[in-house]
Amino acid sequence: MPATPLQTTFLLRRRHARRKGSLPSPRLGIGLAGVLLIGLTLVLIVLAGFYASLTADLPPLGLVKAYFDPQYGAFYHPSRLLDRSGEHILLTLENPGIPPEYRVLDPDESGHLSPRLIQVAVSLLQPDFWQSPGFSFRHLMDPNPHTIAERLVSDLILSGESAGLRQALRMRLLAAQLTAEFGRAQVLEWYLNEANFGHRAFGVGAASRLYLEQDAAEVDLAEASLLIAILDAPALNPLDALSVALERQQNVLLTLYQRGAMDQTEYQAAQSQKLELRSQAMEEKLVAYAFIRLALAELADRLGQERLERGGWVVKTTLDYDLQVQLVCTLQVQLQRLESGDLNALGSENCPVARLLPTLNLAEEPFGTDWSGSAVLLDPQTGQLLALAGDTTAGAESATLGSYPAGTLLSPLAVLGLFAGGYSPASLVWDIPASLPENQDSAQNPDGIFHGPERLRNAMANDHLAGLVGLLEQNGAANVWRRVEPLGIRITEGVEALYGAAQLDPIQVAQAYAPLANSGVQAGVEENETLRPALTLEVMRGGELEPGFGSVQTQALLSPQLAYLIQNVLSDEPARRASLGYPNPLEIGRPAGAKLGQTTAGDDIWAVGFTPQRLAVVRLSRASAEDQPRLDARLAAGIWHALMQTALRDLPNLGWSQPSGISNVDVCDPSGLLPTVNCPEVVGEIFLTGNEPTVPDDLYRKLQINRETGLLATVFTPAELVEERIFFIAPVEAQEWATGQGMEQPPTAYDLVQAQTSLPGLALISPAMFAPVSGEVRVRGTADREGMQSFTVQVGQGMNPARWVEIGKGSTAVENGTLATWQTPLEDGLYAIRLVVVDQDMRVHRIAIQVTVDNTPPQARILYPSQGAQISLGSDKTLNLAAEVSDGLGIRQVEWLLDGRKIGNRIDDPIFNLQWTATSGEHRLLVRVTDLAGNITESEPVVFTVK
């Protein structure tokens, strides 16, 4: 039945009410809209913040144009390395003979690019280039560039930024802006002119000249494919990786063919084309190859290799150009001497420092072949590397710096470790065979001789290794070496390191010794939590300093007291004269710590030495061969001597001040203990305060002996035959060595019978009785008795000396020959020289002479003419030259030197006159005086003018 109108109305109302009840309330809708609005706002705020962060300090697009600026742009100004003065160019990062050249796309302009090259670049790198907005949206978050514009931005605008999401978005933002502002053609032109083609070739114009030796406008399809193939791997270029570069070129051709960029005929022709390529890169002659290699490695590490090679950088290095040139040439002169066997060759006039090489008269020849050397000059106060010669031969310098056996060059570091453990320079060492470990019998001292008891100072200075090795064994070599690891050298070879098992390069040696020169403080540039030598003073680009370069840090590695102990020992010239003689190449006329290094094999020698201002290391090596004599370490010392004399020429004469915490104590030599009345020689020594000796010397003892029998005196020995004698008491382990050396040991038996009377065969011939002597004196005479065991020559001060010092000894007969050499003391006066002969039956015979030591030079002063005098000649044209000369003993000779030429000798005490037939002009006069002892003095020169 159909619904009535009322029912219909009712139903419609109910449906309407249901719909109304199912809809959300107006308040709920408004709330949801508010939440959405707030969320959207937050998103917009976050996006705005991210965009602000993304674009903050966004580099300007103008950097691209600035790169190509003809006056200041890096494209036209390759990076340069300069010496410390800025006056000498050490290296220009470019290919010699290939200047930068900017090429355009427009074929109607001069200097255009080959159309083939443009075609290959676009087809291979970005086929959609001419339709692209400049960035790839598909690779939005990839830090690698995918479009040509992105490549350009990555190379020139964002090269200093690290890869990541922020860098990727900034790169694409800039690429879009660059394309929009300058157009695609300009972007492509810029990119092809700045792209890295390897081997320091930036821009396709330079690359075409370098690899193909032709203009970029003439490049064909095959050649263009070779060049463009390099862009994704610049190191795989035809000069550095020819076969790989050609293989990649073939792959490019195939890719282009598959993409339809060429037809089959073009592809086959290009594929089979033989390319004419440069066979080798052009090289320029450089100074300081090894230094440049190190400096470039540091710069590449700090700036980035490609960023550095792109140009615009001006680097002022620490290198002293003049010292570098002289170091290398002096090293090569010495190597030429050794190769030729002529140790007196002077080298070229362009190498004046080589003329400072000391003359050495070495009997051992030949010197071998295949010599090489290297050297370092460092400022220990700043850590700056001033000069460096890599592995160098007589004909060429290498960029490499190899490691070589250091040998005894490490002994000061071992001694430093011992000092840190409580030893001192005065500590007694026994340089005898018994001190060597059982497995070191063949590794004796470099001179092949054992030297007996001595202070640690002398053992180190003269490379007497047996005693030092004994101390290392006693204290544990590993422990001793560990104490010096702060110096940057880690030794794991134990005592064998001193014989040549440990290898170092000269820079490592310089770093280890630098704190010794600088009172325990090392200066340099931080690297891996350590300091290394500084190579750069400043780095600039666009006239602005690059931060982080040129600043030097310091670090205290040793206490000043420990450093001073080593400084004092290494600068002790008398201590090392026992092995090097006097004079020797380690003496440079000013305080200098120095040490020679040699190995058991004898094929590697070193010299290292320092003052507070300069430190130099020199290494020489030869190829090993049988039956060759050991190298004399003075060959390396000669180079060190010449280099240091030059490097210090304009610097003040400085030494090292003794710091607090160091004590000066007189000790008995060689025990290093407190002197007694029996001690034959007392010397001054230094100690860490609190480490001074407290017990008296126990090596020397006074015993009563029957002078005739040589036995211990008893109550039955006649009083007139009893004499007191001082004996050196060798410990049990040294008695065998002492006996073998002819050292008299105290008797163990008591006197029972009278000794036989003495026999002739003793004489002192020279110097004569009461003769004046000075400097080094040869004592000549005869010690030739039948049954003689040994003889000694002694000196004592005064008419009847209370103390005698041994200056020579022997165990074979000498007749009218040299018995000893005596370096006379500085204190003038009467001295006695005594010859003591011991027979096989221990009988002792003595004779003596008296001499007068005169080491004080005479005094000399020119009385006439006076300084600056203007003298008019008389008619006879003679001048009476006058001088005042005096000496404590007497004058042997007075020489008059005028303008460098001797004009007369006179002896007329106390006024010395000489008549001279004068000539007009300016003259320079001086007087050279020799006294009876041979001391020589020159007066202050007088410059005068004769009219």
Side-chain angles (χ1 to χ4, degrees):
M1 179 175 71
T4 64
L6 183 60
Q7 290 176 322
T8 301
T9 302
F10 175 77
L11 289 173
L12 289 174
R13 287 180 176 176
R14 190 169 63 178
R15 288 176 184 174
H16 177 72
R18 287 176 180 174
R19 288 197 192 100
K20 185 176 181 181
S22 65
L23 292 175
S25 67
R27 288 184 180 180
L28 180 61
I30 294 172
L32 291 174
V35 170
L36 290 174
L37 182 60
I38 292 173
L40 181 60
T41 303
L42 290 176
V43 169
L44 292 176
I45 291 174
V46 171
L47 290 176
F50 179 74
Y51 184 79
S53 172
L54 189 67
T55 57
D57 65 10
L58 194 67
L61 300 178
L63 289 177
V64 177
K65 293 187 69 175
Y67 179 78
F68 295 104
D69 183 81
Q71 187 173 0
Y72 302 107
F75 179 77
Y76 292 101
H77 296 85
S79 296
R80 293 178 299 158
L81 271 65
L82 311 177
D83 75 331
R84 65 186 301 110
S85 70
E87 297 177 358
H88 299 278
I89 298 176
L90 305 179
L91 174 69
T92 301
L93 294 181
E94 63 179 353
N95 292 287
I98 302 179
E101 51 179 301
Y102 187 90
R103 311 307 295 249
V104 299
L105 298 185
D106 190 346
D108 295 329
E109 294 187 20
S110 61
H112 65 273
L113 289 172
S114 162
R116 279 296 199 184
L117 208 155
I118 299 171
Q119 174 198 3
V120 171
V122 171
S123 299
L124 182 68
L125 302 179
Q126 187 185 354
D128 67 342
F129 173 75
W130 297 110
Q131 295 81 37
S132 169
F135 71 97
S136 172
F137 189 81
R138 186 159 58 96
H139 303 97
L140 189 63
M141 297 183 181
D142 187 347
N144 299 309
H146 287 271
T147 70
I148 292 176
E150 290 172 2
R151 288 172 179 255
L152 179 62
V153 167
S154 179
D155 288 345
L156 298 188
I157 302 181
L158 299 180
S159 59
E161 292 193 8
S162 57
L165 176 61
R166 183 173 185 270
Q167 177 265 349
L169 295 176
R170 284 159 64 91
M171 173 180 65
R172 290 180 170 88
L173 178 61
L174 287 170
Q177 292 177 356
L178 196 69
T179 303
E181 182 167 343
F182 295 102
R184 298 182 182 88
Q186 183 64 76
V187 167
L188 177 61
E189 182 176 294
W190 277 339
Y191 174 69
L192 291 177
N193 278 286
E194 64 84 14
N196 183 5
F197 286 85
H199 210 88
R200 296 179 184 169
F202 290 89
V204 70
S208 180
R209 300 277 185 196
L210 177 63
Y211 302 126
L212 304 172
E213 297 188 88
Q214 66 170 307
D215 191 286
E218 308 300 326
V219 171
D220 60 24
L221 181 60
E223 294 166 337
S225 299
L226 174 76
L227 294 177
I228 301 304
I230 299 173
L231 291 177
D232 286 331
L236 304 178
N237 60 74
L239 286 176
D240 299 320
L242 177 60
S243 60
V244 178
L246 293 176
E247 180 181 347
R248 290 170 60 82
Q249 180 240 12
Q250 292 294 314
N251 292 336
V252 168
L253 287 172
L254 179 60
T255 299
L256 294 176
Y257 173 64
Q258 292 173 342
R259 290 181 179 179
M262 65 181 78
D263 57 30
Q264 185 173 5
T265 302
E266 290 177 315
Y267 171 65
Q268 291 176 344
Q271 186 186 40
S272 60
Q273 180 178 334
K274 181 176 176 57
L275 300 178
E276 297 293 332
L277 301 174
R278 186 187 297 274
S279 59
Q280 62 182 13
M282 296 173 288
E283 296 183 0
E284 57 182 325
K285 183 174 177 57
L286 302 176
V287 174
Y289 291 90
F291 181 93
I292 289 173
R293 180 180 63 85
L294 293 177
L296 286 178
E298 175 188 335
L299 292 166
D301 183 62
R302 302 274 296 274
L303 302 175
Q305 181 76 29
E306 182 173 325
R307 189 167 175 235
L308 173 66
E309 291 183 347
R310 278 194 174 278
W313 299 96
V314 179
V315 180
K316 186 180 289 187
T317 70
T318 61
L319 188 87
D320 186 307
Y321 183 86
D322 293 332
L323 284 178
Q324 173 69 28
V325 171
Q326 293 302 313
L327 182 151
V328 173
C329 74
T330 302
L331 181 61
Q332 290 182 323
V333 166
Q334 188 78 318
L335 292 172
Q336 291 164 6
R337 287 177 165 189
L338 295 169
E339 295 279 1
S340 66
D342 181 7
L343 291 183
N344 297 316
L346 296 178
S348 68
E349 294 182 357
N350 296 326
C351 192
V353 176
R355 299 178 181 272
L356 297 176
L357 289 170
T359 300
L360 297 176
N361 296 317
L362 303 180
E364 299 288 0
E365 292 187 15
F367 297 107
T369 57
D370 296 330
W371 280 85
S372 71
S374 49
V376 170
L377 181 65
L378 183 77
D379 182 342
Q381 295 178 338
T382 65
Q384 294 175 6
L385 195 61
L386 302 178
L388 172 65
D391 294 339
T392 302
T393 65
E397 178 196 358
S398 168
T400 62
L401 191 68
S403 297
Y404 295 83
T408 62
L409 200 69
L410 294 174
S411 61
L413 304 186
V415 171
L416 177 63
L418 291 170
F419 286 169
Y423 285 81
S424 74
S427 296
L428 174 65
V429 298
W430 286 91
D431 190 63
I432 56 177
S435 296
L436 289 172
E438 292 183 1
N439 62 342
Q440 291 291 334
D441 289 340
S442 60
Q444 299 182 5
N445 292 326
D447 61 5
I449 302 172
F450 292 101
H451 302 271
E454 58 185 348
R455 285 174 290 146
L456 183 54
R457 170 187 296 272
N458 296 330
M460 185 186 79
N462 297 287
D463 279 347
H464 299 164
L465 291 184
L468 179 55
V469 166
L471 289 184
L472 285 179
E473 285 288 305
Q474 294 171 25
N475 290 271
N479 294 329
V480 175
W481 291 125
R482 195 174 298 116
R483 294 172 190 152
V484 298
E485 286 185 359
L487 298 180
I489 292 182
R490 188 168 183 266
I491 304 297
T492 59
E493 293 82 3
V495 297
E496 289 81 4
L498 297 179
Y499 295 109
Q503 296 194 346
L504 300 174
D505 67 53
I507 289 184
Q508 290 176 305
V509 174
Q511 284 183 271
Y513 272 80
L516 307 183
N518 198 30
S519 299
V521 176
Q522 187 163 66
V525 177
E526 185 174 1
E527 183 179 82
N528 298 326
E529 299 182 355
T530 62
L531 298 181
R532 60 161 178 77
L535 303 172
T536 56
L537 294 177
E538 63 180 34
V539 177
M540 300 186 69
R541 194 182 198 194
E544 296 184 0
L545 286 173
E546 181 74 9
F549 288 92
S551 58
V552 172
Q553 298 179 339
T554 58
Q555 183 178 3
L557 302 182
L558 302 172
S559 70
Q561 292 77 20
L562 275 177
Y564 183 76
L565 292 183
I566 291 291
Q567 291 165 354
N568 185 271
V569 174
L570 289 179
S571 61
D572 188 346
E573 294 182 352
R576 56 179 176 248
R577 288 173 184 168
S579 58
L580 297 180
Y582 174 76
N584 61 72
L586 295 185
E587 298 178 358
I588 58 174
R590 63 170 71 201
K595 183 69 179 68
L596 299 182
Q598 45 197 325
T599 62
T600 299
D603 295 318
D604 300 276
I605 52 178
W606 297 75
V608 59
F610 53 80
T611 69
Q613 307 110 311
R614 295 291 181 267
L615 182 150
V617 180
V618 176
R619 185 273 312 171
L620 291 177
S621 303
R622 72 175 174 201
S624 298
E626 295 182 0
D627 302 325
Q628 286 189 154
R630 291 182 54 83
L631 294 179
D632 192 314
R634 287 177 294 174
L635 295 170
I639 302 173
W640 177 88
H641 176 94
L643 180 60
M644 289 293 282
Q645 289 278 33
T646 302
L648 294 166
R649 182 171 49 206
D650 299 323
L651 298 177
N653 189 346
L654 300 179
W656 296 275
S657 299
Q658 180 172 305
S660 60
I662 295 290
S663 300
N664 297 80
V665 179
D666 286 342
V667 298
C668 184
D669 185 42
S671 71
L673 301 177
L674 296 176
T676 67
V677 294
N678 301 326
C679 179
E681 186 171 6
V682 177
V683 297
E685 262 297 3
I686 59 173
F687 300 84
L688 296 176
T689 300
N691 197 35
E692 304 90 343
T694 58
V695 297
D697 171 71
D698 58 357
L699 291 181
Y700 292 95
R701 292 176 56 191
K702 184 181 292 184
L703 301 175
Q704 288 187 329
I705 303 295
N706 183 320
R707 72 168 62 95
E708 291 187 352
T709 65
L711 301 176
L712 291 170
T714 68
V715 293
F716 303 105
T717 304
E720 66 273 13
L721 296 181
V722 175
E723 66 177 8
E724 289 185 333
R725 292 169 56 188
I726 298 173
F727 289 90
F728 180 82
I729 311 299
V732 174
E733 65 271 15
Q735 286 180 357
E736 181 180 353
W737 175 84
T739 301
Q741 295 296 309
M743 295 179 64
E744 184 181 9
Q745 292 297 296
T748 57
Y750 289 95
D751 177 43
L752 295 176
V753 297
Q754 295 289 330
Q756 297 180 358
T757 58
S758 61
L759 299 175
L762 304 181
L764 287 173
I765 301 172
S766 174
M769 181 69 75
F770 296 111
V773 295
S774 67
E776 191 175 89
V777 176
R778 283 202 315 160
V779 180
R780 300 183 67 252
T782 296
D784 185 11
R785 289 183 54 82
E786 183 177 354
M788 182 183 74
Q789 175 179 286
S790 65
F791 71 87
T792 59
V793 180
Q794 304 168 340
V795 295
Q797 187 175 15
M799 183 68 73
N800 187 20
R803 185 171 68 93
W804 295 88
V805 177
E806 183 182 289
I807 62 170
K809 64 182 179 180
S811 57
T812 58
V814 176
E815 183 174 1
N816 296 336
T818 299
L819 299 173
T821 300
W822 176 32
Q823 184 63 46
T824 57
L826 297 177
E827 185 176 352
D828 295 347
L830 288 173
Y831 285 77
I833 301 176
R834 183 168 71 175
L835 172 62
V836 182
V837 171
V838 180
D839 291 341
Q840 293 289 349
D841 58 2
M842 304 303 293
R843 295 170 63 184
V844 181
H845 312 277
R846 303 177 180 86
I847 61 171
I849 61 171
Q850 204 81 42
V851 296
T852 301
V853 171
D854 177 22
N855 279 317
T856 302
Q859 302 295 315
R861 180 170 62 96
I862 295 175
L863 299 177
Y864 184 83
S866 60
Q867 189 71 257
Q870 303 283 328
I871 302 173
S872 298
L873 288 175
S875 58
D876 59 358
K877 296 186 179 180
T878 60
L879 286 180
N880 189 37
L881 308 178
E884 183 179 61
V885 177
S886 62
D887 185 76
L889 290 180
I891 302 299
R892 176 183 299 168
Q893 176 180 252
V894 175
E895 298 169 276
W896 297 83
L897 300 174
L898 186 77
D899 302 330
R901 182 174 58 89
K902 186 187 296 184
I903 60 172
N905 291 351
R906 286 297 300 272
I907 300 179
D908 192 7
D909 194 33
I911 300 298
F912 294 81
N913 299 319
L914 178 71
Q915 284 194 342
W916 168 58
T917 302
T919 58
S920 60
E922 186 179 275
H923 299 283
R924 184 177 185 271
L925 177 69
L926 65 83
V927 172
R928 181 185 298 148
V929 182
T930 305
D931 66 14
L932 295 178
N935 299 302
I936 299 176
T937 291
E938 288 187 353
S939 69
E940 287 292 328
V942 169
V943 178
F944 63 98
T945 302
V946 175
K947 297 181 180 179

